[in-house]
Amino acid sequence: MEIIRKTSVLSALTAEAKAAGKVVGLVPTMGALHAGHLSLIERARRECDFVVVSVFVNPTQFNNANDLKTYPRTEEADCKLLTSAGVDVAFIPTVEEMYPEPDTRVFDLGEVANVMEGPMRPGHFNGVAQVVSKLFSMVNPDKAYFGEKDFQQIAVIRKMVKLCGFNIEIVDCPIKREDDGLALSSRNVRLTENDRKIAPLIYKTLVESVTFAKSHSVAETQKFVTDTLNAIDGFEVEYYEIVDPVTMQPIEKWKDSVNGAPHGCITVYCGDVRLIDNIKY
Ligand code: PAF
């Protein structure tokens, strides 16, 4: 595996791979890699001939300075994992290398970015669009892999791809969970012992709500999830929305989800740690 820190070297290598007829796959990450990332990499390796994984904690997508400061950074361990995962290139740039000039681009991401994480984390999705579009321009991959834990983020990236006219297949990959159901996340390392004990109840409640939903309305199901979790000491639900899986717009009636099965998207503070998860109805 080559570790590359310069964008010019990255572009030259991936252009060479493409010229040789290789299918290039990109897995963008912010490091602190876990089995969830590894499942994206495994899929990329199955489907592509040349796999690039980027490891970059992107400052423009953090709307909270403390979250950026405390985001786990584990480069050495990440490189070991990437080497044993059989990745061709690990791209690990500095902030100055990624942003030699401040990125002032504002993406018109439309309705998919106007709900849930959009208003809760102002500027977050614009920052994601900035960094992912830069990576796409540098690597020019055939396919790019994203985890469904960040369900809304995938919709935002698909929108950015359309806006920028990239010819890149966005591959969404299922959420990886601990045996007790907790969705894998780099932020899980910040959970205290007690937080970690209660955290699986998020997914447990989401699963129970699928049965509940069969005989209840959207609003009742939303209330069931929110009330169940808020009743547990240590949780504070920020939002629970049930949305159309493509437009991300909250629905009022189950039949309002016109693009497929409705999706429930949740953000919960578990102690100080902001956890997200989602489920298909
Ligand atoms: O999902 C993430 O880890 C990040 O938002 C991404 C896509 C790597 C962009 O920084």
Side-chain angles (χ1 to χ4, degrees):
M1 181 183 82
E2 285 202 57
I3 298 178
I4 290 175
R5 298 185 191 273
K6 293 279 170 220
T7 57
S8 53
V9 180
L10 175 72
S11 297
L13 259 184
T14 51
E16 201 180 295
K18 288 199 86 161
K22 292 186 176 171
V23 175
V24 173
L26 171 68
V27 184
T29 82
M30 296 207 298
L33 302 177
H34 50 64
H37 298 111
L38 293 180
S39 71
L40 306 186
I41 293 167
E42 272 159 31
R43 174 126 180 226
R45 284 203 60 210
R46 278 201 308 276
E47 297 179 353
C48 306
D49 308 308
F50 189 84
V51 174
V52 178
V53 177
S54 60
V55 175
F56 178 64
V57 181
N58 172 39
T60 74
Q61 72 186 74
F62 284 80
N63 61 321
N64 176 321
N66 193 47
D67 194 21
L68 173 60
K69 203 170 124 205
T70 57
Y71 199 87
R73 288 161 171 89
T74 57
E75 187 180 312
E76 217 182 296
D78 290 347
C79 285
K80 277 191 191 138
L81 278 177
L82 293 176
T83 304
S84 47
V87 164
D88 296 286
V89 167
F91 176 54
I92 314 182
T94 60
V95 173
E96 294 70 31
E97 182 67 17
M98 273 310 265
Y99 296 105
E101 295 288 330
D103 193 338
T104 53
R105 290 173 300 161
V106 177
F107 291 80
D108 183 6
L109 297 167
E111 64 179 359
V112 294
N114 284 342
V115 292
M116 302 189 286
E117 295 297 277
M120 288 299 165
R121 302 181 69 188
H124 168 66
F125 282 137
N126 198 60
V128 170
Q130 287 175 339
V131 76
V132 176
S133 62
K134 269 178 181 273
L135 290 166
F136 282 4
S137 300
M138 289 165 193
V139 176
N140 189 20
D142 298 285
K143 294 165 179 258
Y145 296 80
F146 296 90
E148 279 180 351
K149 184 174 76 65
D150 296 296
F151 191 69
Q152 190 181 4
Q153 173 173 273
I154 298 181
V156 166
I157 288 167
R158 287 189 196 283
K159 174 73 182 182
M160 179 279 289
V161 164
K162 272 195 196 144
L163 283 176
C164 299
F166 288 119
N167 182 18
I168 297 170
E169 185 190 340
I170 303 301
V171 183
D172 44 342
C173 306
I175 301 179
K176 272 288 209 195
R177 299 184 179 279
E178 301 282 4
D179 290 345
D180 60 14
L182 175 63
L184 295 189
S185 161
S186 304
R187 290 190 168 86
N188 290 354
V189 294
R190 292 177 42 213
L191 294 170
T192 64
E193 204 180 319
N194 186 54
D195 294 341
R196 180 61 191 82
K197 270 191 202 135
I198 61 170
L201 297 174
I202 300 170
Y203 183 56
K204 182 170 178 280
T205 305
L206 293 181
V207 171
E208 283 168 8
S209 80
V210 174
T211 309
F212 183 92
K214 293 192 195 315
S215 52
H216 293 83
S217 68
V218 173
E220 285 163 346
T221 306
Q222 248 178 305
K223 188 168 161 19
F224 168 79
V225 169
T226 309
D227 289 354
T228 305
L229 290 173
N230 278 339
I232 297 163
D233 199 24
F235 280 146
E236 194 182 329
V237 176
E238 191 170 65
Y239 64 78
Y240 184 56
E241 295 287 3
I242 299 176
V243 302
D244 177 288
V246 170
T247 66
M248 297 292 125
Q249 297 309 294
I251 56 170
E252 281 182 14
K253 297 203 165 73
W254 295 111
K255 66 171 176 46
D256 293 345
S257 182
V258 292
N259 294 297
H263 227 86
C265 299
I266 194 158
T267 295
V268 189
Y269 275 94
C270 180
D272 288 340
V273 185
R274 190 173 185 272
L275 297 178
I276 65 173
D277 204 340
N278 61 78
I279 199 156
K280 185 175 169 179
Y281 282 100

